[in-house]
Amino acid sequence: YSKFVLFSKNPNLLFSMASTTKIMTALVALDYYKIDDVLTVKTEKVEGVNVGFKVGEKLFLKDILYAMLLPSGNDAALAIAQNYPGGEEAFIKKMNEKSKSLNLTNTNFADPIGLEDSGDYTTPLDLVRLTSAALENKIFADIVKTKTLQISDITGENEYLLKNLNKLLGVSGINGVKIGTTTEAGQVLVT
């Protein structure tokens, strides 16, 4: 694709990005972890949407990424951040470093999830730049175009059916990327 702007409206308007935050969470995860690394769930029943992971459960990174990007599992996003060296705080710092490296000059990440009132913000232009960079990663691009997927923990005992919340997926060639909703942000769609 050309990356040429055909139309823009309020490209520099600051807003809270809700779960589209998870695009950056995925990028930082893919920079640091290997796809078959095993992560341990350290927190369950996180605020907002949960896949249902239990404390101590072990999953491959690839499955956690699907759980984060399809049904927008906050427990999945938190597991990625909490397994990072230095934990969630270090992970958020890395998100903001990555943001600077991508020249996202009007973006700040305050958590790996996109929770309400966290202090995160971006602009439509920065979100497009972030997504463009993310789609260059084949693993990310393959995940966000997936409608449904069954995953399990590494033992195969706990199974989860994941459904992509993006209702436009597959319509007229749409193959991603991420939705997000909070009262503060409203409804956010990157497609």
Side-chain angles (χ1 to χ4, degrees):
Y1 48 97
S2 70
K3 298 184 185 179
F4 184 79
V5 176
L6 299 175
F7 173 83
S8 69
K9 182 177 178 183
N10 301 322
N12 296 310
L13 175 74
L14 286 178
F15 67 97
S16 175
M17 65 201 79
S19 280
T20 60
T21 295
K22 293 168 181 153
I23 297 169
M24 180 60 89
T25 303
L27 261 189
V28 172
L30 287 163
D31 281 350
Y32 176 73
Y33 298 109
K34 293 184 188 81
I35 203 67
D36 57 355
D37 279 354
V38 175
L39 279 59
T40 304
V41 175
K42 300 181 181 195
T43 305
E44 61 185 71
K45 295 184 181 150
V46 180
E47 180 184 340
V49 176
N50 284 265
V51 175
F53 298 145
K54 303 285 183 251
V55 170
E57 207 169 343
K58 296 180 183 304
L59 296 102
F60 291 112
L61 173 69
K62 187 172 188 177
D63 292 328
I64 292 178
L65 286 170
Y66 274 101
M68 178 178 73
L69 293 168
L70 272 60
S72 206
N74 292 351
D75 48 354
L78 194 58
I80 288 169
Q82 289 179 336
N83 278 267
Y84 189 80
E88 186 179 359
E89 202 171 295
F91 190 86
I92 295 164
K93 184 178 178 194
K94 187 55 82 175
M95 291 171 76
N96 285 303
E97 285 173 13
K98 180 82 173 174
S99 182
K100 283 187 182 72
S101 77
L102 294 173
N103 295 315
L104 309 182
T105 55
N106 295 306
T107 297
N108 179 64
F109 294 98
D111 68 49
I113 296 170
L115 295 173
E116 195 147 49
D117 299 325
S118 67
D120 65 359
Y121 58 83
T122 193
T123 65
L125 183 59
D126 277 5
L127 202 47
V128 166
R129 287 178 176 151
L130 169 61
T131 304
S132 180
L135 287 171
E136 289 175 12
N137 184 300
K138 184 176 178 350
I139 295 166
F140 178 88
D142 285 346
I143 291 171
V144 297
K145 70 182 180 185
T146 303
K147 282 190 173 190
T148 61
L149 183 73
Q150 180 105 11
I151 65 163
S152 69
D153 65 356
I154 61 168
T155 68
E157 289 177 29
N158 300 312
E159 294 187 337
Y160 303 94
L161 179 61
L162 309 176
K163 294 181 181 178
N164 200 317
L165 296 178
N166 185 351
K167 290 183 172 75
L168 295 176
L169 203 60
V171 175
S172 301
I174 293 174
N175 56 8
V177 170
K178 187 76 187 82
I179 68 159
T181 306
T182 62
T183 305
E184 180 185 13
Q187 294 181 329
V188 184
L189 170 66
V190 180
T191 193

